[in-house]
Amino acid sequence: LYRITPYPAVRIFTLILRQSKTHDFSLDVHGNANTREDFIKYVASLEKASDFSAIISPITNLLSESNVEFNIELKIKPEIYHL
């Protein structure tokens, strides 16, 4: 995640690791992007990453054109954490 995040265009404030009842892991990411375009590029780079099976980004992440506050859920592929 560190290598994918294009600082200073995108900043991460909070990371929360969650485990579901089925023992799958996800990562909640809260942050800020300078512009909507920066955020869209960031999500595209997350979608290309091989560590995640799904990227869940609510439409509300796209409402602002600048100073974009966002929340994303990243579903982590089981083979990444080997439980």
Side-chain angles (χ1 to χ4, degrees), residues 16-63:
I16 300 172
L17 182 64
R18 299 187 189 277
Q19 183 178 15
S20 71
K21 291 179 183 177
T22 60
H23 303 291
D24 294 326
F25 284 92
S26 65
L27 190 62
D28 293 341
V29 181
H30 171 72
N32 178 275
N34 289 340
T35 66
R36 182 186 301 150
E37 187 63 30
D38 289 335
F39 174 72
I40 291 169
K41 288 178 185 177
Y42 181 52
V43 171
S45 67
L46 290 170
E47 290 171 341
K48 291 178 187 173
S50 61
D51 299 336
F52 309 117
S53 59
I55 287 71
I56 301 167
S57 175
I59 194 73
T60 54
N61 288 338
L62 299 173
L63 296 179

Side-chain angles (χ1 to χ4, degrees), residues 51-83:
D51 299 336
F52 309 117
S53 59
I55 287 71
I56 301 167
S57 175
I59 194 73
T60 54
N61 288 338
L62 299 173
L63 296 179
S64 298
E65 289 187 34
S66 62
N67 195 26
V68 179
E69 293 282 331
F70 64 83
N71 290 293
I72 303 171
E73 181 182 357
L74 307 173
K75 300 283 186 176
I76 304 170
K77 290 182 177 178
E79 54 268 24
I80 300 301
Y81 51 83
H82 304 291
L83 285 184

